Structures are given as structure tokens and as C-alpha cells.
Amino acid sequence: MIRKQEALDYHSQGRAGKIEVVSTKPCQTQRDLSLAYTPGVAEPCKEIAVIPEEVYKYTAKGNLVAVVSNGTAVLGLGNIGALAGKPVMEGKGVLFKRFADIDVFDIELDSQNPDEIIKTVKMLEPTFGGINLEDIKAPECFYIEEELKKIMNIPVFHDDQHGTAIISGAALLNALELARKRIDEIKVVFSGAGAAGIACAKFYERLGVKRKNMLLVDTKGVVYAGRTEGMNAYKEYFVVETDERTLADAMKGADVFCGVSVKGIVTKEMIKSMADNPIVFAMANPDPEITYEDATAVRDDIVMATGRSDYPNQVNNVLGFPFIFRGALDVRATAINDEMKVAAAYALANLTKEDVPDSVIRAYGGRRIEFGRDYIIPKPFDPRVLLWEATAVAKAAMDSGVARIPIKDFEAYRDSLEARLGKSREVMRFFIHKAQHEPKRIVFPEGEEEKILRAAHIIVDERIALPILLGSRTLIRQRIQDLGLNLDNIEIINPSKSEKLDAYITAYYTKRQRKGITPFDAERQVKTHNIFGMVMVDNGDADGLISGLTQHYPDTVRPALQIIGKKDGVQRIAGLYMLVFKNQTIFIADATVNIEPTAEDLVEIALLTAEKVKQFDIEPRIAMLSFSNFGSTKHPLVDKVQEAVAVVKQRAPQLKIDGEMQADTAVSPEVLNELYPFSSLKGGANVLICPDLTSANIAYKLLTKLGGATAIGPMLLGIKKPVYLLVPGNDVNDIVNITAMAVVEAQKGSNGQEGSSHRVSKEFIGMTSHMTT
């Protein structure tokens, strides 16, 4: 439970509040100032005056939403006023930005006059791309939204109404599937006839619930034909002929309870009186209409959701509004209509049935999450929600005719959404797309491992590679079934029963017979999965290998060297990491293989790294690191790096390489230009060659943990064929990404590196322009 002081400290410590405005353009010089404001700003103003749609090109309008409230229905606090409601509206802005990269200004209006609010919001239309109405009491909220939708040409969305309806609607679709009930036959009871209750009832009708099968219950009891007390036009829509007058009456035989009312209004006896396999959505906040413990104590066949994160199936509006607006803004929709809301609900319902990423599992306690009674809607921190829901909403906007700029390529659109989740996801989408053009056979010696199997499901589904799993066929098939994966046609090989075992034993023995290996040793070792997989790759029966999830680096590297071998002319292999930050990408070596490299080893590490970076069509700018800047310190360790720099320049004079230099100097163009104008690294380095494994390993791990970088790798450099290393901490997405990189490398080996590199350039350079300028 969050303590009062903890919440107050969160909002007050440091910069007060939760939001700030950050410039997206530089403003460091007089010239920048002249461009940002007068006189330069006049030019986009003149363009917009002639062509109003250019406002989306020259301003932030297209990604800017107003969160508008008058504070009359704030959370469970009631009518506390516009000023007191401001922390909630700032919080809403944080969620928009965190989950969908949408910018927000919160607008608190000190008025309880609906027409004043309508007039004010309408006048804000030139500023914003969309309007999110928030915490406005019923029934005024219905009128305000209806009128604004009539007079505005940008999306208007009252989240208190539609957010709960959409998320619980997705939960309803999946709960009905588990309960094996038809939506057009169920009886639904709604407790609460405010904004959320009315909206849920209307949305459920849109999903297929018959209005005659709905009972709306408010503080005066059941909304029935002929009732006059506490009625309004919105409740009148749901009147039915019935003798039931109380919530207890209504609950008897009900299939679904949808609660958006008050704590403790539902009793155990009411839950007992419901139909078989009851569906209970007790969504009152912060405390539900009945606790999870009480409801499940009396019904073991129940499917239950609440608004709380400490119970299964949290109906959290953050699963809706950020992604709905994202899709609406991206097609410049004139409205958020029913078709878009239904598409959002179905996207969430369908996503729930997909395998859950390890990052989500870790965020929610580490226990396996799979579709069932305790998981009928996605978790709020599932990054895939953005991809699924925004895409579905954008497509529905196009299909229903409210999109002004239709999306032509939805694959490219999904990539743009990935980029909003972080630069590393954008970079990895590049590799995945390249892999999909020509999938290769990748062998996984640890084919019995759950993470490998789950990764293989994604790899096959996205056509990234043709996985080959090594292990017991019976065990792997059983685990595939237990995990609910679709891998019916995947290739599984049990090394000890393979028809090629004898041939592989002979091949391995021939390679290693003068290295102390006897025929008996060869037979025993080839039956082990790693050795068998390496021989497969060496013999051309697989194009690459990925291993290391359950073992140490040497257990993968050693057999790779012994069986597949190094490329011609290579004396030392090395390991390379790609570190992806928000605004730049850095390569760092060698953090994997060479513990105390000599000067000659550093030369080879630098040359191998440059070759790999060039394969991505990035011009390597290499800094050879030390604790000294260009001779500032005399020491044998400095001499080693200086010697390596001199040799690389001699062997590869075309490379941009310099050193020795300190790490901060290497990545600071202004320092290099001012203090070391002779350096060839005018724009700073994008490749860092560390003097030893200790410094490289420490550096990349600190940069990932404290610097916010995402590490992609390690990539083994110098091996004849693709062998990629995993570590025990890798999750499923890591394995998928590494597989894509292995496939891309295998493609280069089979197609010829020069031609393949040419195909990479346009899309990758555009994505990583900051690395090459």
C-alpha cells in the first residue's frame, strides 16, 4: 500500500510536480535562437497561413493532446475542484508520454458550467491534435463530450467513460470464451449509472450484449420502466420491464456483474446467486464492490477482474487511452468513433492469448503468465500493447472514414511504433526485416529450454529464421504442448539418434585426431548438443548457431574455434557489443574473449570490429582507449595502445582511428576539436576499443545499468560462420534479436558481403544517421 508521505514526497521532491517542457531543437547559439524565435520563426508561420495543414509539419500539434478537467469527479475524491485535481491531470500526461510518446498539456478549467467548458475547449482546437476529457461528473460529461464531438474536427475522448468500457470489454470477450458463453445470451448487471457505468453498458451492447438482457442499478435501485426518481435521459435508454428492484434481485442468475460504484456493495450471497461460471468485474476504486478473496471463497468457477494491481486482471485505463490516441493521431483522425473503440478492445483481447515476454513476467513477480482465469487482459507494462492497439485503432479509423492521412504500409507503421519504445527496438526491427527477406537455418543446442522454445515460436511466426532444436524429441514436444506454442513443423534433432551421427563423428574425429581426441572421445562428444550443433554448421547443415543460455562463454566459444574455426588470416577472435542509447549508438570491444590483449591483439580487435561495423553500413570512427590522452602519461600500458594505433593506421590507412585517449575525450567532439585538433575523429568516436577485457566488460555493463543503454550482443568476430552467444540472463526477446543478427550475417556469407551491404545502406543509414555524421 502506498503511504501518504511517500506519495507527497514523490510529487514534491526535486522539480515540483511530474512534468516539464523539453525542447526538441537545439538552442545553444545566437543562430539557434534566431531560428527558434524571431526572425526565423516567421517562415513556418507564413507557410501555415497559406496552407493550414502545414501546422502538422512545422509544429507539435500532431502529437499534442490536451487533458481537460474541471475537477468535479476526481478519482474517488469527488468534486474537489480544478486546482486540487491538477496532480491527476499531470499524472495523465505522464502516462500518455510513458506509454505512447504523446505530449500533453493539462488544462484545468475553473468552471462547472458545461457550455463554458464546451466554448473554451473549442477555442483550443488550433493548439491540439486531440482532447482527452477527464474527471468531469455525470451527467454533464455526456453532454460536454457529445457537443464537442459535433463541433470539433479533432478527436475528443472522455476516458472515464470509454476507457473503462473498452478495457473491461476486452476482458469480457476473453472471460466469455473461458466460461463458454455466448455474448448475445448473457445477463449483465451494471452497478453504477455514472459516466463509466453508462459507457460500459453502451459499449457492451456494441460488442453484442442484448439491451433486454441488461439491468442498470444505481443508488435508487434497478432502472426499470416507469421509475421516475433519479432518472435522466442516459438512464432512460436502459429501462426494462422487470420486477427486480434491488441489486440482490438483479444478481440472481446473472452471468456478468460490471461494477463501477462503491466499496462493499456486493455480498458473498449475491455472488453465490449468480449463474454458473460467473464473470465479476468489481472495478470500484480504490476498493472493489467485493474483495477478490471474498468472491473466490464462495465460487471456484468465477472469472474476476478489479481495478487493483494486487489482484489478477486489473482493469486499468492505461491499457486504452494512450494507444487509442496514438492510433488516432497517427492517421490524423477527426474523431474517435465506436469502430475504433471496438478495434481497441479486440486488439487487447487477442494480445492476451499471445506468449507473454520475459520483461513483462519479470515486472510482475517472475511467475509465468498465460491466458486463463487469472489473465484475461494484458498487463499495463506489456510493450506490445502499443503495437497491437494503436495499429488496430489506426486501421479502424481508416476503414470507418475518419482518417485524414491513411497509412500505406502498416509494417513500416509498426516499425515507427517500435521506435517510440526505444532506439534499440528500432535498430532490431532493421535486423528482423533483413532476416525475413531470406531466413536461414539456425541451430539451437539448448532446444529443450523454455526460453528457446518460446523464442522459436516468435522466430517461426515472424519468419525470421528456420530454427533447428537439439534435444529429446519427446521432451521438446511435451514442453511445446505445455507452453501452448505453435511449433508443429519445427525441426527437432536428437543428436544421439540422428541419422547423420556417424558422419558427424567421423568429421569431428578427422578434425581433432591430432588434438588428443580418440574415436571413443569423438563419439561421446558429438552426442553432446553443443558439439553436434557446431559440426552441423561446419558441414553446412545449419547456417549458424546460438548457444550459451545454460553455460559459460568458453563452453560455446571453445568448440566454435575447434570445429568451425577462425576466418582466414585471423589470429584472435573477439566479442563486440552494440550499445543503443536514445540519441546515439556506440560499439564496444572486447568485453567477451581476450582478457589481457597485447598490442597486436588490439590491432586485430580493432580491424575485426571495423569490418563488422561496416557491414551495417556505418562508417567506423575508432577510439583506442586508455587512461592517457595522446601521450599525456608515460606508462607501458599506454605504450601498448599507442603501438596498436600506429599498426592499424599502417595496415588500414583508410580507417578513421586515433588514440590513445580517455573515454570521455573519445565521445566528446567539442573536446577533440578544441584540445586535439590534429585528431582524425572530428565528430567523436562511435567505436570504442578498450585496452583489456576488464575495462570493456565493466564499461558496457555500467552503461547499460546506469547509462540507459540497451546492449545487443555479444557478436563473435573472426569465426568463419555465425556463432552467437547467449547469457543466462537473456530473455526471449534477446534470443529473437540475436537470431535475427545471426541470420543477417549468414545471408552475407551466402550472398557475398559487398552486395548484401549495399542493400542495407538506405534504411539503416536513415535510422542511425547520428552515428555517421
Side-chain angles (χ1 to χ4, degrees):
M1 179 68 74
I2 299 296
R3 295 180 298 106
K4 175 182 177 179
Q5 192 58 48
E6 183 181 4
L8 294 175
D9 290 346
Y10 176 84
H11 286 78
S12 63
Q13 288 179 351
R15 183 191 291 263
K18 300 189 288 287
I19 57 175
E20 66 176 329
V21 176
V22 178
S23 173
T24 61
K25 302 296 188 293
C27 192
Q28 304 294 329
T29 66
Q30 180 60 42
R31 183 173 183 80
D32 291 341
L33 185 59
S34 297
L35 289 168
Y37 201 56
T38 184
V41 74
E43 297 306 324
C45 291
K46 290 187 286 186
E47 294 292 314
I48 295 166
V50 176
I51 308 174
E53 285 297 300
E54 293 289 86
V55 70
Y56 290 99
K57 178 178 180 181
Y58 295 115
T59 77
K61 175 182 170 74
N63 195 54
L64 189 60
V65 167
V67 173
V68 180
S69 178
N70 67 351
T72 53
V74 178
L75 300 176
L77 304 175
N79 187 351
I80 60 173
L83 184 64
K86 184 173 175 61
V88 176
M89 308 316 137
E90 285 191 1
K92 199 81 171 186
V94 170
L95 300 182
F96 265 109
K97 188 65 177 179
R98 164 61 178 81
F99 289 97
D101 193 28
I102 292 172
D103 299 315
V104 164
F105 287 141
D106 58 295
I107 309 291
E108 291 76 34
L109 300 178
D110 190 12
S111 173
Q112 296 193 26
N113 184 320
D115 292 314
E116 284 185 351
I117 294 171
I118 292 166
K119 181 180 178 181
T120 303
V121 174
K122 169 60 180 172
M123 288 192 292
L124 293 172
E125 186 166 356
T127 303
F128 295 100
I131 304 292
N132 182 97
L133 300 174
E134 192 75 19
D135 291 348
I136 302 172
K137 71 183 178 72
E140 290 89 338
C141 62
F142 302 122
Y143 170 67
I144 291 169
E145 186 190 41
E146 289 169 0
E147 292 304 306
L148 287 174
K149 288 171 74 173
K150 292 176 186 176
I151 62 177
M152 299 187 78
N153 288 312
I154 58 175
V156 177
F157 183 84
H158 184 206
D159 183 50
D160 301 293
Q161 292 183 57
H162 310 299
T164 304
I166 291 165
I167 312 311
S168 67
L172 178 66
L173 294 171
N174 281 336
L176 289 174
E177 182 177 329
L178 292 169
R180 298 186 178 181
K181 295 183 179 182
R182 289 170 53 94
I183 196 167
D184 58 348
E185 296 176 350
I186 58 172
K187 175 186 175 182
V188 184
V189 176
F190 297 90
S191 176
I198 295 288
C200 285
K202 285 192 172 182
F203 190 69
Y204 287 15
E205 183 182 20
R206 179 81 186 187
L207 291 176
V209 178
K210 299 295 185 184
R211 199 191 320 172
K212 66 181 181 181
N213 294 336
M214 298 183 189
L215 284 177
L216 194 64
V217 184
D218 62 9
T219 56
K220 307 300 181 183
V222 174
V223 174
Y224 60 89
R227 195 184 109 174
T228 57
E229 187 180 11
M231 294 296 289
N232 58 44
Y234 304 101
K235 295 179 186 179
E236 286 288 349
Y237 181 84
F238 291 101
V239 298
V240 292
E241 296 284 350
T242 180
D243 295 329
E244 295 164 350
R245 293 294 184 266
T246 67
L247 179 59
D249 295 338
M251 291 283 278
K252 292 175 182 175
D255 298 286
V256 179
F257 170 79
C258 177
V260 280
S261 52
V262 295
K263 170 185 177 181
I265 198 170
V266 174
T267 66
K268 291 182 178 180
E269 287 67 29
M270 293 180 191
I271 299 296
K272 286 180 182 179
S273 72
M274 294 180 72
D276 291 341
N277 293 306
I279 297 166
V280 175
F281 297 162
M283 300 178 289
N285 258 324
D287 298 303
E289 286 81 358
I290 183 170
T291 66
Y292 179 80
E293 292 84 359
D294 283 351
T296 55
V298 295
R299 295 295 294 262
D300 59 7
D301 59 345
I302 195 172
V303 179
M304 187 170 181
T306 70
R308 294 178 58 126
S309 60
D310 51 349
Y311 294 145
N313 301 318
Q314 183 190 18
V315 177
N316 191 324
N317 283 17
V318 79
L319 283 168
F321 66 86
F323 316 110
I324 292 167
F325 268 99
R326 180 76 272 156
L329 292 175
D330 289 340
V331 295
R332 214 170 292 167
T334 57
I336 294 172
N337 58 26
D338 284 347
E339 290 85 352
M340 296 158 74
K341 298 169 193 171
V342 169
Y346 272 97
L348 290 170
N350 292 332
L351 175 58
T352 313
K353 298 167 190 174
E354 296 291 313
D355 187 54
V356 179
D358 288 344
S359 59
V360 179
I361 293 172
R362 284 198 301 270
Y364 290 91
R367 294 185 300 275
R368 178 156 179 77
I369 302 170
E370 58 186 346
F371 179 60
R373 292 179 184 270
D374 288 342
Y375 180 62
I376 56 174
I377 42 176
K379 299 292 187 180
F381 281 99
D382 190 332
R384 301 169 303 166
V385 176
L386 174 63
L387 310 181
W388 283 62
E389 191 172 355
T391 302
V393 169
K395 188 174 188 307
M398 292 166 53
D399 293 343
S400 61
V402 298
R404 285 182 285 191
I405 50 166
I407 294 169
K408 296 178 181 179
D409 183 346
F410 271 94
E411 190 64 39
Y413 177 59
R414 287 176 66 89
D415 289 347
S416 73
L417 295 175
E418 288 268 13
R420 292 185 183 278
L421 292 172
K423 199 72 181 176
S424 62
R425 297 178 73 94
E426 181 183 8
V427 170
M428 286 317 308
R429 290 307 298 178
F430 158 79
F431 286 106
I432 288 171
H433 287 322
K434 287 295 298 177
Q436 289 169 333
H437 289 314
E438 188 185 351
K440 295 292 184 179
R441 301 161 299 170
I442 304 297
V443 61
F444 293 88
E446 297 156 309
E448 297 171 354
E449 292 298 311
E450 177 183 324
K451 287 183 180 179
I452 298 295
L453 294 174
R454 291 169 55 208
H457 171 81
I458 298 172
I459 291 163
V460 170
D461 191 51
E462 294 204 21
R463 302 185 297 280
I464 296 169
L466 304 172
I468 303 169
L469 306 177
L470 301 188
S472 163
R473 181 179 298 273
T474 301
L475 180 58
I476 290 174
R477 282 292 171 206
Q478 183 60 52
R479 288 185 175 169
I480 288 172
Q481 181 178 334
D482 293 344
L483 294 169
L485 305 177
N486 183 15
L487 290 170
D488 293 341
N489 298 317
I490 198 165
E491 185 174 359
I492 301 171
I493 298 175
N494 186 335
S496 62
K497 297 181 180 179
S498 170
E499 61 184 20
K500 294 188 175 182
L501 178 62
D502 291 341
Y504 285 0
I505 292 170
T506 300
Y508 179 64
Y509 176 67
T510 301
K511 270 186 179 289
R512 304 293 298 164
Q513 60 186 342
R514 292 185 179 274
K515 303 291 184 180
I517 297 296
T518 67
F520 173 77
D521 293 330
E523 180 178 359
R524 176 176 52 82
Q525 291 182 22
V526 170
K527 288 181 180 179
T528 63
H529 297 181
N530 248 9
I531 302 292
F532 187 93
M534 297 291 180
V535 178
M536 284 186 72
V537 174
D538 189 50
N539 280 21
D541 294 325
D543 300 300
L545 179 144
I546 297 174
S547 185
L549 194 64
T550 61
Q551 53 202 348
H552 298 295
Y553 281 157
D555 297 323
T556 301
V557 174
R558 190 180 301 108
L561 289 170
Q562 293 172 344
I563 299 167
I564 297 172
K566 297 177 288 222
K567 292 179 179 178
D568 293 342
V570 171
Q571 300 300 315
R572 285 273 187 180
I573 66 168
L576 174 68
Y577 276 94
M578 178 190 291
L579 299 180
V580 184
F581 298 85
K582 182 177 181 180
N583 296 315
Q584 65 177 327
T585 297
I586 296 289
F587 296 86
I588 189 166
D590 169 14
T592 308
V593 179
N594 297 285
I595 298 175
E596 294 184 0
T598 63
E600 181 58 33
D601 294 337
L602 289 176
V603 169
E604 190 148 37
I605 292 168
L607 293 173
L608 288 172
T609 299
E611 178 186 1
K612 172 60 72 175
V613 172
K614 284 180 181 178
Q615 287 180 3
F616 303 145
D617 265 13
I618 300 170
E619 180 186 25
R621 300 190 306 274
I622 305 170
M624 304 292 282
L625 300 185
S626 176
F627 54 84
S628 169
N629 275 323
F630 301 104
S632 63
T633 302
K634 301 300 181 183
H635 192 278
L637 292 177
V638 174
D639 297 341
K640 178 181 74 170
V641 179
Q642 290 176 339
E643 180 185 341
V645 172
V647 174
V648 173
K649 286 184 174 181
Q650 181 182 6
R651 293 186 189 176
Q654 76 284 0
L655 277 183
K656 290 184 178 179
I657 182 171
D658 216 335
E660 87 297 358
M661 68 181 77
Q662 295 174 5
D664 57 339
T665 301
V667 295
S668 303
E670 63 279 3
V671 173
L672 284 167
N673 294 339
E674 182 178 346
L675 300 182
Y676 310 104
F678 54 83
S679 174
S680 59
L681 302 182
K682 299 302 181 185
N686 58 10
V687 176
L688 306 178
I689 305 299
C690 295
D692 54 34
L693 188 144
T694 299
S695 57
N697 193 271
I698 291 171
Y700 103 80
K701 289 183 176 178
L702 282 177
L703 287 170
T704 56
K705 292 299 182 184
L706 301 181
T710 297
I712 300 172
M715 299 170 251
L716 272 186
L717 309 178
I719 299 290
K720 282 184 181 178
K721 296 183 179 182
V723 174
Y724 279 69
L725 303 176
L726 301 175
V727 296
N730 282 139
D731 64 22
V732 171
N733 283 337
D734 294 330
I735 299 168
V736 172
N737 293 339
I738 290 169
T739 301
M741 299 182 79
V743 170
V744 171
E745 183 177 336
Q747 291 171 344
K748 294 178 185 298
S750 62
N751 296 337
Q753 184 171 311
E754 183 177 345
S756 183
S757 177
H758 177 72
R759 287 194 298 275
V760 169
S761 59
K762 288 185 180 179
E763 50 186 319
F764 199 80
I765 284 180
M767 184 189 311
T768 57
S769 57
H770 54 276
M771 304 183 213
T772 56
T773 56

